[in-house]
Amino acid sequence: MKKFRKVLDGLTTSSPVNPGGSPGCGSAAGTPSAAPTPRELEIQETLMSEHFQICKTVRHGFPYQPTALAFDPVQKILAIGSRSGGIRMYPFLSFPHLGRPGVDCHSQHESGAAVLQMQFLINEGALVTACADDTLHLWSLRQRLPAILHSLKFNRERITFCHLPFQSKWLYVGTERGNTHIVNIESFILSGYVIMWNKAIELSTKTHPGPVVHLSDSPKDEGKLLIGFESGTIVMWDLRAKRADFRIYYDEAIHSVSWHHEGRQFMCSHSDGSLSMWNMRNTAKPFQVTFPHGKTQRDGRKESCKPILKVEYKTSRNSSEAFVIFSGGLSYDKAGRRPTLTIMHGKAITVLEMDYPIVDFMVLCETPYLNEVQEPYAVVVLLEKDFVVVDLTQSNFPIFENPYPMDVHESPVTCTAYFADCPPDIIPVLYSIGAKHKKTGYSHKEWPVSGGTWTVGSQTYPEIIITGHADGSIKFWDATAITLQMLYKLKTSKVFEKPKTGDMGRSADLVEEDPYAVQMISWCPQSRIFCVVGISAHVILYRFSKHDANTIITSLELRLQCEMEDVISPSDTENTPCFSDPSGHSPQPQPPSPRSNTPDSVRDSIPCLKVKDRMIRMPPGYQAELVVQLLWVDGEPPQQITCLDLNSAYGLLALGNCNGLAVVDYLQKTILLCMSTLELYGSADPFQRLTRSPRKNRQSTSGLTELSDNQVSLDLERSKSPTSDHVNGHCTSPTSQPCPSGRARVPGGPEGPRLARRGPGRPPFRKAQSAACMEVSLPVSSLTEENSFSRSRSSSVSSIDRETKEAVTTLQFAESYGRKSDSLPTPCLWVGTSLGLVLIIPMSIPTDEQERQEDPVTVAPTGTVLMLKGSVLRFGFLDCGGALINSPYEVWRDQHAPDDPDRPRKRKLVNFSPSSSQEACGDGHLAVVCSERQAKVFYMPSQACLYVHNITESSFVLRADVVSVSNSVCLACFCANGHIMILSLPSLRPLLDVSYLPLTDMRIARTFCFTNGGQALYLCSPTEIQRITYSQEMCETLGELFTPIETPEAQNRGFLKGFFGGNAQTFDREELFGEASAGKASRSLAQHIPGQGGIEGMKAAAGGVVGDLARARIALDERGQRLGELEERTALMMTSAETFSKHAHELMLKCKDKKWYQF
């Protein structure tokens, strides 16, 4: 049996690699197909399964669809709830000595119900949330990952409002039926004490008061609860006597209520845009009613105004006038007025216009006690798409500069890139350039939300995130140490001419188009060369300079519009002659043909956008040097670019689409190669395909602009690969029309003549959708006039040979071997296609700097072909010791710097050649190739397949990267079924396979990317970037939400004020609401659900010495805190007793010698 296996191994080694992999290489990792070579390598792999763990680290950007706001004035933690059930908390001060806020924390309700309201247990490390599914949740913030301790599900009533008094463990809950329930925060069980709506109102009232919209206890007496109903009814309920002190019936609906700190009066906001002031001595009518924005008309009536949704009434020591802050209340006379926040201070009224509708706002005060002078210092305003903090301490009310990246979605994000371990000087340089364009006029005070601590790990290295946007802008973000701050912004639209107003009637259409939308990014941090691929089939190359420059942008035009047809097979019934279009394979661009003035003129040899052809002054930063554009051919728009790679050491740029490949020399500004994919094979085409004449039904462009907004189910399509018909959203088959809604499109249908209706001057793009809005639109069966079939997704040749166009899906320059006979590595271009084929194109590049500027670069396809299952996604290169081989690069030099005769500016290249010092394997290196279904490791130059691993059979890989983790190398993959897989290199052993995130829309697929150091990111919502880690080391570096802080003492009210005006009675909520006096609530009213973060869950999860020590430490901290508070209270009581004794003794001495008639 062993001899038979050896014979099979010998046959496998000698046979060429087929698309399905070597016969001896099944899905089992580490199975060698060429037996002698892997054994001789003997590479020691250090990565193990315990080195990997999936963990969310931080979420950047503005919370998507916010709904609620809360603030802890002692811990200085801000929480924002969202419609999807998420909670974002903004606490961490990562660099206190710099005053630089760090990151935020994200938590999620499992139900996904919208968060209606939130209440902090002030300075206790807990948060109560009320959700739209009528459930209350208690979150513990005393741990690194917030967890739910308890939940309470209301069964018969809907929650409308919650109120938690300071330093109380009883939560008031108002419902839609008008009832008020009381919940014990510690046990999260309903009290038997209930304030029914029919008892709160008078018996003679015939109508229901409506839902409870406000609950608050009186600052003067905690035993009095103010209840506001939607209809305009206000009830002051005496909790001890269980009756109403007074009732107010107002004509207008109530939206909010706010107390004066003395508890003698309160203010209400109403639906007619009015504010009413009420005095506790006389509640028959309001003593003041104002319409802040309502003007008196000629007939004496007030003009109608919008509702005032919320009002805050705050007092200040430095001014006798109180602050009245409210949202809404504007008159209806002007349409299209922006949302406003009004600040009234005395007679001064300041109206702050907001860019987006106001969701909620909150006034930040110095003290948490409601019966003290509030001293407001800031207003936090939560908008639908922004977050603003206003400084109240300055008369002009400036806003604080927001340190959090709330403008990630300023223009919809269309692509992302993540770079870890960048050169240390790149971030300061980008920041210095970008700081010149920052806005001014911000408040000079420190950011007020500064709670929490963040533990920065020992592995801190420069990290940069780059985002591309629909308006053509590029943003560079500093992502070091889990923070995110914008460094620099680049606008690619400045490279092109603005379209003229009367150009063929395009002015109306361009309003709905984003022709500059960024589709792809390629960046070399060492040389600082930056490339951008746009949706209009263009590539812009930028160089970085610290100086201004006046330059003319070079423009190159490519005709990369080949018409490739099916393989001539016996099944074809019609004899169609073969014609090749030489214009489609021209290696040099042709001059644009003159456009005819006739209506039937066909757009040909014209780019979609016009590059500025005049001298342009460019500011410091990234400056455009070269633009490469694909041209229209015979009325057909250019196909969008699917892949791009640049190499600064070679001075070359390569791009590909579903038609072919082009290589550009950006140093000499010439086109080196422009060929169809089939021409690259020559006679080595494994499928022996031939060309045909163009079909009548030409394909239209698909890509960023053709994706549907409607989310479709992936249950049936998740196992299908998009690259057989669509590669990254680009159609690869002329026999199938793009299917934005997931349905097959019949030629000649309503979508067929779209291209014919386009004018010669209009680009073939609709409004570019961001990656946040792109939903999955997987292909279905292709229908053509000649044949109708449902293509199989298998990798067999019988299904592949029907492919009509082969898209170039990935490119990479590297020092490698183009032929088996090569003895030394040379510059090569590795090309991967949608059919799973890999081509290696060697190049001859002059080494001398002067010759490089003058002599041409030779590019010669050799026909070398490697094969895999599925579309090729990524290349990686290792030396014979298993170390990663980085691509060579050019060291950055400022071309616009002043000339220095002592230091001439020469190109300095850094080359990483494959190591040849190992005697075990001699010269050569390892090539890692990953497709959407399979990964292979080849030994070069022999091209022998050493290892094969079938990554998935039921799904397909969306993103794959060769990354460095823990001083070693691995292959990271993200599949469409949500699995994240880590494979060792070079043996391809599975180290991690976790079902993390199912693919629900194209946003995740387009933006997911891995980087070195065990990190990754993706766009989790249209406005948020989620960063995750798959390294065990990174999972341990998390922050602390709760930090022990002493609760500020209440102000000493003085003896006389406390004796005459203070509370005459003590209010014990436990005695009133406890089970002993109030009884138990009905079990059918609410259901208690213990959370996973409860004590029981903590015991089960910890269950060891570490857990016991942690619980003991928490208990000791809480006990010490309580003892400290008891000691402070004792000292305060002693001081009060001494003061009372002193006053009593003075009064006794004063009255000692007086007669009775002298008093």
Side-chain angles (χ1 to χ4, degrees), residues 845-909:
I845 302 176
T847 57
D848 183 73
E849 182 175 0
Q850 186 65 26
E851 294 178 354
R852 178 65 185 86
Q853 297 291 339
E854 299 175 356
D855 296 347
V857 175
T858 304
V859 180
T862 60
T864 300
V865 178
L866 307 175
M867 303 184 70
L868 288 87
K869 291 181 181 178
S871 175
V872 181
L873 301 179
R874 190 65 59 192
F875 297 119
F877 303 97
L878 310 176
D879 61 17
C880 292
L884 183 66
I885 302 176
N886 296 312
S887 299
Y889 62 85
E890 174 189 1
V891 179
W892 174 75
R893 56 195 178 106
D894 196 340
Q895 292 188 336
H896 299 293
D899 293 333
D900 187 356
D902 298 333
R903 300 179 61 185
R905 294 195 299 270
K906 293 184 178 181
R907 295 187 71 209
K908 182 180 178 181
L909 307 182

Side-chain angles (χ1 to χ4, degrees), residues 178 180 195-197 199-202 205 207-218 224-238 243-259 263-271 274-280 282-289 311:
T180 301
I195 305 174
M196 305 299 292
W197 68 271
K199 295 182 179 179
I201 64 174
E202 293 181 346
T205 305
T207 59
H208 191 278
V212 176
V213 296
H214 178 80
L215 293 169
S216 62
D217 49 345
S218 170
K224 304 293 180 64
L225 181 67
L226 189 70
I227 307 174
F229 297 93
E230 188 181 51
S231 62
T233 302
I234 301 174
V235 177
M236 177 63 82
W237 184 264
D238 190 335
R243 60 179 178 83
D245 276 3
F246 64 82
R247 299 178 178 90
I248 298 174
Y249 298 96
Y250 198 68
D251 296 336
E252 296 294 334
I254 293 176
H255 286 280
S256 68
V257 181
S258 183
W259 281 96
R264 298 176 181 176
Q265 59 188 20
F266 59 88
M267 179 181 292
C268 301
S269 66
H270 302 280
S271 58
S274 64
L275 297 173
S276 61
M277 293 283 293
W278 301 83
N279 197 306
M280 299 293 291
N282 181 14
T283 58
K285 63 177 182 179
F287 73 88
Q288 182 181 0
V289 177
V311 65

Side-chain angles (χ1 to χ4, degrees), residues 524 526 647-650 813-817 825-827 877-879 883-891 909-916 924-925:
C524 178
Q526 290 79 13
N647 189 281
S648 57
Y650 302 157
F813 289 101
E815 293 282 324
S816 185
Y817 302 86
T826 58
F877 303 97
L878 310 176
D879 61 17
L884 183 66
I885 302 176
N886 296 312
S887 299
Y889 62 85
E890 174 189 1
V891 179
L909 307 182
V910 178
N911 191 8
F912 298 95
S913 298
S915 175
S916 59
H925 68 88

Side-chain angles (χ1 to χ4, degrees), residues 394-412:
Q394 301 183 37
S395 59
N396 58 341
F397 303 124
I399 65 172
F400 288 88
E401 184 178 4
N402 198 328
Y404 297 97
M406 296 295 180
D407 57 345
V408 173
H409 63 289
E410 183 180 12
S411 175

Side-chain angles (χ1 to χ4, degrees), residues 1098-1112:
M1098 290 176 61
K1099 288 181 180 179
V1105 179
V1106 177
D1108 295 336
L1109 289 176
R1111 285 191 294 273

